[in-house]
Coordinates of all heavy atoms in Angstrom, one line a residue:
V1 N 5.3 5.4 -31.2 CA 4.8 6.8 -31.3 C 5.2 7.3 -32.8 O 4.2 7.8 -33.5 CB 5.5 7.8 -30.3 CG1 5.2 9.2 -30.6 CG2 5.3 7.4 -28.9
N2 N 6.4 7.1 -33.2 CA 6.7 7.4 -34.7 C 7.9 6.5 -35.0 O 8.3 5.6 -34.2 CB 6.9 8.8 -34.9 CG 8.1 9.4 -34.2 OD1 9.1 8.8 -34.0 ND2 8.0 10.7 -33.6
R3 N 8.4 6.7 -36.2 CA 9.5 5.9 -36.6 C 10.7 5.8 -35.8 O 11.5 4.9 -35.7 CB 9.9 6.3 -38.1 CG 10.9 5.4 -38.7 CD 11.2 5.8 -40.2 NE 12.3 5.2 -40.8 CZ 12.3 4.0 -41.3 NH1 11.2 3.3 -41.4 NH2 13.5 3.4 -41.8
N4 N 11.0 7.0 -35.1 CA 12.2 7.0 -34.3 C 12.0 7.1 -32.7 O 12.9 7.2 -32.0 CB 13.0 8.4 -34.6 CG 13.5 8.3 -36.0 OD1 13.9 7.3 -36.5 ND2 13.4 9.4 -36.8
T5 N 10.7 6.9 -32.3 CA 10.4 7.0 -30.9 C 9.5 5.7 -30.5 O 8.5 5.5 -31.2 CB 9.6 8.2 -30.6 OG1 10.4 9.4 -30.9 CG2 9.4 8.4 -29.1
I6 N 10.0 5.0 -29.6 CA 9.3 3.8 -29.1 C 8.8 4.0 -27.7 O 9.5 4.5 -26.8 CB 10.2 2.5 -29.0 CG1 11.1 2.4 -30.4 CG2 9.5 1.3 -28.6 CD1 10.1 2.0 -31.5
K7 N 7.5 3.8 -27.4 CA 6.9 4.0 -26.2 C 6.8 2.7 -25.5 O 6.0 1.7 -26.0 CB 5.6 4.7 -26.2 CG 5.0 4.9 -24.9 CD 3.7 5.8 -25.0 CE 3.1 6.2 -23.6 NZ 1.9 7.0 -23.8
I8 N 7.4 2.4 -24.4 CA 7.3 1.2 -23.6 C 6.5 1.6 -22.4 O 6.7 2.4 -21.6 CB 8.7 0.8 -23.1 CG1 9.6 0.7 -24.4 CG2 8.6 -0.5 -22.4 CD1 11.1 0.8 -24.1
Q9 N 5.4 0.6 -22.2 CA 4.5 0.8 -21.0 C 4.5 -0.5 -20.2 O 4.5 -1.6 -20.8 CB 3.1 1.2 -21.5 CG 3.0 2.4 -22.2 CD 1.6 2.7 -22.6 OE1 1.0 1.9 -23.4 NE2 1.0 3.8 -22.2
W10 N 4.4 -0.4 -18.9 CA 4.3 -1.5 -18.1 C 3.4 -1.2 -16.8 O 3.3 -0.1 -16.4 CB 5.6 -2.2 -17.7 CG 6.5 -1.4 -16.8 CD1 6.7 -1.5 -15.5 CD2 7.4 -0.3 -17.3 NE1 7.6 -0.6 -15.1 CE2 8.0 0.1 -16.1 CE3 7.7 0.1 -18.5 CZ2 9.0 1.2 -16.2 CZ3 8.7 1.2 -18.5 CH2 9.3 1.7 -17.4
K11 N 2.9 -2.3 -16.2 CA 2.1 -2.1 -15.0 C 2.7 -3.1 -14.0 O 3.0 -4.2 -14.3 CB 0.6 -2.5 -15.2 CG -0.3 -2.4 -14.0 CD -1.6 -2.9 -14.2 CE -2.4 -2.8 -12.9 NZ -3.7 -3.6 -12.9
I12 N 2.8 -2.6 -12.8 CA 3.2 -3.4 -11.6 C 2.0 -3.9 -10.8 O 1.2 -3.2 -10.4 CB 4.2 -2.6 -10.7 CG1 5.4 -2.0 -11.5 CG2 4.6 -3.4 -9.5 CD1 6.2 -3.1 -12.2
N13 N 1.9 -5.3 -10.6 CA 0.9 -5.8 -9.8 C 1.5 -5.8 -8.4 O 2.5 -6.4 -8.1 CB 0.5 -7.2 -10.3 CG -0.1 -7.2 -11.6 OD1 -0.8 -6.2 -11.9 ND2 0.1 -8.2 -12.4
G14 N 0.7 -5.3 -7.4 CA 1.1 -5.3 -6.0 C 1.8 -4.0 -5.7 O 2.0 -3.1 -6.5
P15 N 2.3 -3.9 -4.4 CA 3.0 -2.7 -3.9 C 4.4 -2.5 -4.7 O 5.0 -3.4 -4.9 CB 3.2 -3.0 -2.4 CG 3.1 -4.4 -2.3 CD 2.2 -5.0 -3.4
T16 N 4.7 -1.3 -4.8 CA 6.0 -0.9 -5.4 C 6.9 -0.2 -4.4 O 7.9 0.4 -4.8 CB 5.8 0.0 -6.6 OG1 5.2 1.2 -6.3 CG2 5.0 -0.7 -7.7
T17 N 6.6 -0.3 -3.2 CA 7.3 0.4 -2.1 C 8.8 0.0 -2.0 O 9.6 0.8 -1.5 CB 6.7 0.2 -0.8 OG1 6.6 -1.2 -0.4 CG2 5.3 0.8 -0.8
K18 N 9.2 -1.2 -2.5 CA 10.6 -1.6 -2.3 C 11.4 -1.1 -3.6 O 12.6 -1.3 -3.6 CB 10.7 -3.1 -2.2 CG 10.2 -3.6 -0.8 CD 10.4 -5.0 -0.6 CE 9.8 -5.5 0.8 NZ 10.0 -6.9 1.0
V19 N 10.8 -0.7 -4.7 CA 11.5 -0.3 -5.9 C 11.9 1.1 -5.9 O 11.1 2.0 -5.6 CB 10.5 -0.7 -7.1 CG1 11.2 -0.2 -8.4 CG2 10.1 -2.1 -7.2
D20 N 13.1 1.3 -6.2 CA 13.7 2.7 -6.2 C 13.4 3.2 -7.6 O 13.0 4.4 -7.8 CB 15.1 2.8 -5.9 CG 15.7 4.1 -6.0 OD1 15.3 5.1 -5.2 OD2 16.6 4.3 -6.8
H21 N 13.9 2.5 -8.6 CA 13.8 2.8 -10.1 C 13.8 1.7 -11.0 O 14.1 0.6 -10.5 CB 14.9 3.9 -10.5 CG 16.2 3.3 -10.4 ND1 17.0 3.2 -9.1 CD2 17.1 2.9 -11.3 CE1 18.2 2.6 -9.4 NE2 18.3 2.4 -10.7
Y22 N 13.7 1.9 -12.3 CA 13.6 0.8 -13.2 C 14.7 1.2 -14.3 O 14.8 2.3 -14.7 CB 12.3 0.7 -13.9 CG 11.2 0.4 -13.0 CD1 10.4 1.4 -12.5 CD2 10.9 -0.9 -12.6 CE1 9.4 1.1 -11.5 CE2 9.8 -1.1 -11.8 CZ 9.1 -0.1 -11.2 OH 8.1 -0.4 -10.4
V23 N 15.4 0.1 -14.7 CA 16.5 0.3 -15.7 C 15.9 -0.3 -17.1 O 15.3 -1.4 -17.0 CB 17.8 -0.3 -15.4 CG1 18.8 -0.3 -16.6 CG2 18.4 0.3 -14.1
I24 N 15.9 0.4 -18.1 CA 15.4 -0.2 -19.4 C 16.6 -0.6 -20.3 O 17.5 0.3 -20.5 CB 14.5 0.9 -20.1 CG1 13.2 1.1 -19.3 CG2 14.0 0.4 -21.4 CD1 13.3 2.2 -18.3
L25 N 16.6 -1.8 -20.7 CA 17.6 -2.3 -21.6 C 17.0 -2.6 -23.0 O 15.8 -3.0 -23.1 CB 18.2 -3.7 -21.1 CG 18.6 -3.6 -19.7 CD1 19.1 -5.1 -19.3 CD2 20.0 -2.9 -19.6
M26 N 17.8 -2.4 -24.0 CA 17.4 -2.8 -25.4 C 18.2 -4.0 -25.9 O 19.5 -3.9 -25.6 CB 17.6 -1.6 -26.4 CG 17.5 -1.9 -27.8 SD 18.0 -0.7 -28.9 CE 16.7 0.5 -28.7
E27 N 17.7 -5.0 -26.4 CA 18.3 -6.1 -26.8 C 18.3 -6.2 -28.4 O 17.1 -6.4 -29.0 CB 17.8 -7.4 -26.2 CG 18.6 -8.6 -26.6 CD 18.1 -9.9 -25.9 OE1 17.6 -9.8 -24.8 OE2 18.4 -11.0 -26.5
I28 N 19.3 -6.3 -29.1 CA 19.4 -6.5 -30.5 C 20.5 -7.5 -30.9 O 21.6 -7.4 -30.5 CB 19.7 -5.2 -31.3 CG1 18.7 -4.0 -31.0 CG2 19.8 -5.4 -32.8 CD1 19.1 -2.7 -31.7
L29 N 20.0 -8.6 -31.5 CA 20.9 -9.7 -31.8 C 21.6 -10.3 -30.7 O 22.8 -10.7 -30.6 CB 21.8 -9.3 -32.9 CG 21.3 -8.9 -34.3 CD1 22.3 -8.4 -35.2 CD2 20.5 -10.1 -34.9
G30 N 20.9 -10.4 -29.5 CA 21.5 -10.9 -28.3 C 22.3 -9.9 -27.4 O 22.9 -10.2 -26.4
V31 N 22.7 -8.7 -28.0 CA 23.5 -7.8 -27.3 C 22.6 -6.8 -26.5 O 21.7 -6.2 -27.2 CB 24.3 -7.0 -28.3 CG1 25.2 -5.9 -27.6 CG2 25.3 -8.0 -29.0
K32 N 22.8 -6.6 -25.2 CA 21.9 -5.7 -24.4 C 22.6 -4.5 -24.2 O 23.8 -4.5 -23.9 CB 21.6 -6.4 -23.1 CG 20.7 -7.6 -23.2 CD 20.4 -8.2 -21.8 CE 19.5 -9.4 -22.0 NZ 19.1 -10.0 -20.7
T33 N 21.9 -3.3 -24.3 CA 22.4 -2.0 -24.0 C 21.5 -1.3 -23.1 O 20.2 -1.3 -23.3 CB 22.5 -1.3 -25.3 OG1 23.3 -2.0 -26.3 CG2 23.2 0.1 -25.1
I34 N 22.0 -0.6 -22.1 CA 21.1 0.3 -21.3 C 20.7 1.4 -22.1 O 21.5 2.2 -22.7 CB 21.8 0.8 -20.0 CG1 22.2 -0.4 -19.2 CG2 21.0 1.8 -19.2 CD1 23.0 -0.2 -18.0
V35 N 19.4 1.7 -22.1 CA 18.8 2.8 -22.8 C 18.3 4.0 -22.0 O 18.1 5.2 -22.4 CB 17.9 2.5 -24.0 CG1 18.4 1.7 -25.0 CG2 16.6 1.8 -23.4
G36 N 18.1 3.6 -20.8 CA 17.5 4.7 -19.8 C 17.0 4.1 -18.5 O 17.2 2.9 -18.2
K37 N 16.5 5.1 -17.7 CA 16.0 4.7 -16.5 C 14.6 5.4 -16.2 O 14.3 6.4 -16.8 CB 16.9 5.0 -15.3 CG 17.1 6.4 -15.1 CD 18.0 6.7 -14.1 CE 18.2 8.2 -14.0 NZ 19.3 8.7 -13.2
R38 N 13.8 4.9 -15.3 CA 12.5 5.4 -14.9 C 12.4 5.3 -13.4 O 12.4 4.3 -12.9 CB 11.4 4.7 -15.7 CG 10.0 5.0 -15.2 CD 9.6 6.4 -15.7 NE 8.2 6.7 -15.8 CZ 7.5 7.1 -14.7 NH1 7.9 7.3 -13.6 NH2 6.2 7.3 -15.0
H39 N 12.2 6.6 -12.8 CA 12.0 6.5 -11.3 C 10.7 5.9 -11.0 O 9.7 5.9 -11.8 CB 12.2 7.9 -10.8 CG 13.6 8.3 -10.8 ND1 14.5 7.9 -9.9 CD2 14.3 9.2 -11.6 CE1 15.6 8.4 -10.2 NE2 15.6 9.2 -11.1
N40 N 10.6 5.4 -9.8 CA 9.3 4.7 -9.3 C 8.4 5.9 -8.8 O 8.1 5.8 -7.6 CB 9.6 3.7 -8.2 CG 8.5 3.0 -7.8 OD1 7.6 2.7 -8.6 ND2 8.4 2.5 -6.6
V41 N 8.0 6.7 -9.7 CA 7.1 7.8 -9.2 C 5.9 7.7 -10.1 O 5.9 7.9 -11.3 CB 7.7 9.2 -9.4 CG1 6.7 10.3 -9.0 CG2 8.9 9.3 -8.6
S42 N 4.6 7.3 -9.4 CA 3.5 7.2 -10.2 C 2.3 7.2 -9.3 O 2.4 6.7 -8.1 CB 3.4 5.9 -11.0 OG 2.2 5.6 -11.6
D43 N 1.1 7.8 -9.8 CA -0.1 7.8 -8.9 C -0.7 6.5 -9.1 O -1.6 6.2 -8.3 CB -1.0 8.9 -9.4 CG -0.4 10.4 -9.1 OD1 0.4 10.4 -8.1 OD2 -0.7 11.3 -9.7
S44 N -0.4 5.8 -10.0 CA -1.0 4.4 -10.1 C 0.2 3.4 -10.3 O 1.3 3.7 -10.1 CB -1.8 4.4 -11.4 OG -1.0 4.6 -12.6
N45 N -0.1 2.3 -10.7 CA 1.0 1.2 -10.8 C 1.5 1.1 -12.4 O 2.0 0.2 -12.7 CB 0.7 -0.1 -10.3 CG 0.7 -0.2 -8.8 OD1 1.1 0.8 -8.1 ND2 0.6 -1.3 -8.2
Y46 N 1.1 2.2 -13.2 CA 1.4 2.2 -14.5 C 2.7 3.1 -14.7 O 2.8 4.2 -14.1 CB 0.3 2.7 -15.4 CG -0.9 1.8 -15.5 CD1 -1.9 1.9 -14.6 CD2 -0.9 0.8 -16.5 CE1 -3.1 1.0 -14.7 CE2 -2.0 0.0 -16.6 CZ -3.1 0.1 -15.7 OH -4.1 -0.8 -15.8
F47 N 3.6 2.6 -15.6 CA 4.8 3.3 -15.9 C 5.0 3.4 -17.4 O 4.5 2.4 -18.2 CB 6.0 2.7 -15.2 CG 5.9 2.7 -13.8 CD1 5.3 1.6 -13.2 CD2 6.3 3.7 -12.9 CE1 5.1 1.6 -11.7 CE2 6.2 3.7 -11.6 CZ 5.6 2.7 -11.0
D48 N 5.7 4.4 -17.9 CA 6.1 4.3 -19.3 C 7.4 4.9 -19.5 O 8.0 5.6 -18.6 CB 5.1 5.0 -20.1 CG 4.9 6.5 -19.8 OD1 5.6 7.1 -19.0 OD2 3.9 7.1 -20.2
Y49 N 8.1 4.7 -20.7 CA 9.4 5.2 -21.1 C 9.4 5.4 -22.6 O 9.0 4.6 -23.3 CB 10.5 4.3 -20.6 CG 11.8 4.8 -21.0 CD1 12.4 5.7 -20.2 CD2 12.4 4.4 -22.2 CE1 13.7 6.2 -20.5 CE2 13.7 4.8 -22.5 CZ 14.4 5.7 -21.7 OH 15.6 6.2 -22.1
L50 N 9.9 6.6 -23.0 CA 10.0 6.9 -24.3 C 11.5 6.7 -24.8 O 12.4 7.4 -24.3 CB 9.6 8.4 -24.8 CG 8.1 8.6 -24.6 CD1 7.8 10.1 -24.9 CD2 7.3 7.8 -25.6
D51 N 11.7 5.8 -25.7 CA 13.1 5.5 -26.3 C 13.2 6.3 -27.7 O 12.5 5.8 -28.6 CB 13.4 4.1 -26.3 CG 14.8 3.8 -26.7 OD1 15.6 4.6 -26.6 OD2 15.1 2.7 -27.3
I52 N 14.0 7.2 -27.8 CA 14.3 7.9 -28.9 C 15.5 7.2 -29.7 O 16.6 7.2 -29.2 CB 14.4 9.4 -28.8 CG1 13.3 10.0 -28.1 CG2 14.7 10.1 -30.1 CD1 13.4 11.4 -27.7
L53 N 15.2 6.6 -30.8 CA 16.3 5.9 -31.5 C 17.2 6.9 -32.3 O 16.6 7.5 -33.3 CB 15.6 4.9 -32.5 CG 14.7 4.0 -31.9 CD1 14.0 3.0 -32.9 CD2 15.3 3.1 -30.8
T54 N 18.3 7.2 -31.8 CA 19.2 8.1 -32.4 C 20.5 7.6 -33.1 O 21.2 8.3 -33.6 CB 19.6 9.2 -31.3 OG1 20.3 8.5 -30.2 CG2 18.5 10.0 -30.8
N55 N 20.7 6.3 -32.8 CA 22.0 5.7 -33.3 C 21.7 4.7 -34.4 O 22.5 3.8 -34.7 CB 22.7 5.0 -32.1 CG 23.1 6.0 -31.1 OD1 23.5 7.0 -31.4 ND2 23.1 5.6 -29.9
G56 N 20.6 4.9 -35.2 CA 20.3 3.9 -36.3 C 19.9 2.6 -35.9 O 20.2 1.6 -36.7
E57 N 19.4 2.4 -34.7 CA 19.0 1.1 -34.2 C 18.0 0.5 -35.1 O 17.2 1.2 -35.7 CB 18.4 1.1 -32.7 CG 19.4 1.6 -31.7 CD 19.3 3.2 -31.5 OE1 18.8 3.9 -32.4 OE2 19.6 3.5 -30.4
G58 N 18.1 -0.8 -35.4 CA 17.1 -1.4 -36.2 C 17.1 -3.0 -36.2 O 18.1 -3.4 -35.5
G59 N 16.2 -3.6 -36.8 CA 16.2 -5.0 -36.8 C 15.2 -5.5 -35.7 O 14.2 -4.7 -35.5
Y60 N 15.3 -6.7 -35.2 CA 14.4 -7.2 -34.2 C 14.9 -6.8 -32.8 O 15.9 -7.1 -32.3 CB 14.4 -8.7 -34.3 CG 13.3 -9.4 -33.5 CD1 12.0 -9.3 -33.8 CD2 13.7 -10.1 -32.3 CE1 11.1 -10.0 -33.0 CE2 12.7 -10.7 -31.6 CZ 11.4 -10.6 -31.9 OH 10.5 -11.3 -31.1
I61 N 14.0 -6.0 -32.2 CA 14.3 -5.3 -30.8 C 13.5 -5.9 -29.9 O 12.2 -5.9 -29.9 CB 14.2 -3.7 -30.9 CG1 15.2 -3.2 -32.0 CG2 14.4 -3.1 -29.6 CD1 15.1 -1.7 -32.2
I62 N 14.0 -6.2 -28.6 CA 13.3 -6.5 -27.4 C 13.8 -5.6 -26.3 O 15.0 -5.3 -26.2 CB 13.6 -8.0 -27.1 CG1 13.1 -9.0 -28.1 CG2 13.0 -8.3 -25.7 CD1 13.6 -10.4 -27.8
Y63 N 12.9 -5.0 -25.6 CA 13.2 -4.3 -24.4 C 13.0 -5.1 -23.0 O 12.2 -6.0 -23.0 CB 12.3 -3.0 -24.3 CG 12.6 -2.0 -25.3 CD1 11.9 -2.0 -26.5 CD2 13.6 -1.0 -25.1 CE1 12.2 -1.0 -27.5 CE2 13.9 0.0 -26.0 CZ 13.2 0.0 -27.2 OH 13.5 0.8 -28.2
E64 N 13.9 -4.8 -22.0 CA 13.8 -5.5 -20.9 C 13.8 -4.5 -19.7 O 14.5 -3.5 -19.7 CB 15.1 -6.3 -20.5 CG 15.0 -7.2 -19.3 CD 16.1 -8.2 -19.3 OE1 16.9 -8.3 -20.2 OE2 16.2 -8.8 -18.3
I65 N 12.8 -4.6 -18.8 CA 12.6 -3.7 -17.7 C 13.1 -4.4 -16.4 O 12.6 -5.5 -16.1 CB 11.2 -3.2 -17.5 CG1 10.6 -2.5 -18.8 CG2 10.9 -2.3 -16.3 CD1 9.7 -3.2 -19.6
V66 N 14.1 -3.8 -15.8 CA 14.7 -4.3 -14.6 C 14.4 -3.4 -13.4 O 14.8 -2.2 -13.4 CB 16.2 -4.5 -14.7 CG1 16.9 -5.1 -13.5 CG2 16.5 -5.2 -16.0
P67 N 13.6 -3.9 -12.4 CA 13.4 -3.1 -11.3 C 14.6 -3.1 -10.3 O 15.3 -4.2 -10.2 CB 12.3 -3.7 -10.5 CG 12.2 -5.1 -11.1 CD 12.9 -5.2 -12.4
V68 N 15.1 -1.9 -9.8 CA 16.3 -1.8 -8.9 C 15.7 -1.5 -7.5 O 15.0 -0.4 -7.4 CB 17.3 -0.8 -9.4 CG1 18.4 -0.7 -8.4 CG2 17.7 -1.2 -10.8
L69 N 15.9 -2.3 -6.5 CA 15.3 -2.1 -5.2 C 16.1 -1.0 -4.4 O 17.2 -0.6 -4.9 CB 15.3 -3.3 -4.5 CG 14.6 -4.5 -5.2 CD1 14.6 -5.9 -4.4 CD2 13.2 -4.2 -5.7
F70 N 15.6 -0.5 -3.3 CA 16.3 0.5 -2.5 C 17.7 0.0 -1.9 O 18.5 0.9 -1.7 CB 15.3 0.9 -1.3 CG 14.4 1.9 -1.8 CD1 13.0 1.5 -1.9 CD2 14.7 3.2 -2.1 CE1 12.1 2.4 -2.3 CE2 13.7 4.2 -2.5 CZ 12.4 3.7 -2.6
D71 N 17.9 -1.3 -1.8 CA 19.2 -1.7 -1.5 C 20.1 -2.0 -2.7 O 21.2 -2.6 -2.6 CB 19.1 -3.0 -0.7 CG 18.5 -4.2 -1.4 OD1 18.1 -4.1 -2.5 OD2 18.4 -5.3 -0.7
F72 N 19.7 -1.5 -3.9 CA 20.3 -1.6 -5.1 C 20.5 -3.0 -5.6 O 21.3 -3.3 -6.5 CB 21.7 -0.8 -5.1 CG 21.5 0.6 -5.1 CD1 21.6 1.3 -3.9 CD2 21.2 1.3 -6.1 CE1 21.4 2.7 -3.8 CE2 20.8 2.7 -6.1 CZ 21.0 3.3 -4.9
S73 N 19.8 -4.0 -5.1 CA 19.7 -5.3 -5.6 C 18.8 -5.3 -6.9 O 17.9 -4.4 -7.0 CB 19.3 -6.4 -4.6 OG 18.0 -6.1 -4.1
K74 N 18.8 -6.3 -7.8 CA 18.0 -6.3 -8.9 C 16.8 -7.2 -8.6 O 16.8 -8.3 -8.1 CB 18.8 -7.0 -10.0 CG 18.1 -7.2 -11.3 CD 19.1 -7.8 -12.3 CE 18.4 -9.1 -12.8 NZ 19.1 -9.8 -13.9
G75 N 15.7 -6.7 -9.0 CA 14.4 -7.4 -8.9 C 14.3 -8.4 -10.1 O 15.1 -8.5 -11.0
T76 N 13.1 -9.0 -10.2 CA 12.7 -9.9 -11.4 C 12.4 -9.0 -12.6 O 11.6 -8.1 -12.6 CB 11.5 -10.8 -11.1 OG1 11.9 -11.5 -9.9 CG2 11.3 -11.7 -12.2
S77 N 13.2 -9.2 -13.7 CA 13.0 -8.4 -14.9 C 11.9 -9.0 -15.8 O 11.7 -10.2 -15.7 CB 14.3 -8.2 -15.6 OG 14.8 -9.5 -16.1
V78 N 11.4 -8.3 -16.7 CA 10.4 -8.8 -17.6 C 10.9 -8.2 -19.0 O 11.5 -7.1 -19.1 CB 9.0 -8.3 -17.3 CG1 8.5 -8.9 -16.1 CG2 8.9 -6.8 -17.3
K79 N 10.6 -9.0 -20.0 CA 10.9 -8.5 -21.4 C 9.5 -8.2 -22.2 O 8.5 -8.8 -21.9 CB 11.6 -9.6 -22.2 CG 13.0 -9.9 -21.6 CD 13.7 -10.9 -22.6 CE 15.2 -11.1 -22.0 NZ 16.0 -12.0 -22.9
T80 N 9.7 -7.3 -23.0 CA 8.5 -6.9 -24.0 C 8.5 -7.8 -25.1 O 9.4 -8.7 -25.3 CB 8.7 -5.5 -24.6 OG1 9.9 -5.5 -25.4 CG2 9.0 -4.5 -23.4
N81 N 7.4 -7.8 -25.8 CA 7.4 -8.5 -27.1 C 8.4 -7.9 -28.0 O 8.7 -6.7 -27.9 CB 5.9 -8.4 -27.6 CG 4.9 -9.1 -26.9 OD1 5.2 -10.1 -26.2 ND2 3.7 -8.7 -26.8
G82 N 8.8 -8.6 -29.0 CA 9.8 -8.0 -29.9 C 9.1 -7.2 -31.0 O 7.9 -7.4 -31.3
L83 N 9.8 -6.3 -31.5 CA 9.3 -5.5 -32.6 C 10.3 -5.3 -33.7 O 11.6 -5.4 -33.3 CB 8.7 -4.2 -32.2 CG 9.8 -3.2 -31.7 CD1 9.4 -1.9 -32.4 CD2 9.6 -2.9 -30.2
V84 N 10.0 -5.2 -34.9 CA 10.9 -5.0 -36.1 C 11.0 -3.5 -36.4 O 9.9 -2.9 -36.7 CB 10.5 -5.9 -37.3 CG1 11.5 -5.6 -38.4 CG2 10.5 -7.4 -36.8
I85 N 12.1 -2.9 -36.4 CA 12.3 -1.6 -36.9 C 13.1 -1.6 -38.2 O 14.0 -2.2 -38.3 CB 13.2 -0.8 -35.8 CG1 12.5 -0.8 -34.5 CG2 13.4 0.6 -36.2 CD1 11.2 0.0 -34.3

């Protein structure tokens, strides 16, 4: 979106009825940090999350989206392409 805001978008193929929410992680130099969550509320299977970089994050960044099911188990996660900030 701009220098300090990253928009992450993803689409779920198939039903999302077992997913309660998604946890978004940021990975920099192999270190993962939770940056936010996104509830499973959508009229379509498209979701997005805006990450506002407030702590001077920089370098090669990869985001990981982790679905959390209603029984609080972890679903199969996916990673974004990397980007350089």
Side-chain angles (χ1 to χ4, degrees):
V1 175
N2 62 41
R3 183 174 168 88
N4 295 321
T5 305
I6 308 296
K7 184 175 186 178
I8 305 157
Q9 297 178 303
W10 64 96
K11 178 185 177 193
I12 302 299
N13 293 326
T16 61
T17 55
K18 294 183 179 184
V19 178
D20 180 61
H21 63 280
Y22 302 91
V23 174
I24 295 91
L25 306 170
M26 172 192 287
E27 182 179 336
I28 300 175
L29 297 174
V31 177
K32 294 182 182 180
T33 305
I34 295 174
V35 294
K37 66 179 179 193
R38 171 69 160 85
H39 287 283
N40 186 30
V41 178
S42 175
D43 292 335
S44 64
N45 283 3
Y46 289 94
F47 298 90
D48 60 13
Y49 179 80
L50 291 176
D51 184 24
I52 300 171
L53 306 177
T54 57
N55 295 322
E57 298 93 336
Y60 187 73
I61 298 175
I62 298 172
Y63 288 93
E64 184 173 357
I65 296 109
V66 181
V68 178
L69 308 181
F70 279 107
D71 65 358
F72 291 100
S73 63
K74 179 181 123 176
T76 302
S77 64
V78 294
K79 291 186 177 185
T80 65
N81 294 330
L83 67 130
V84 178
I85 302 291

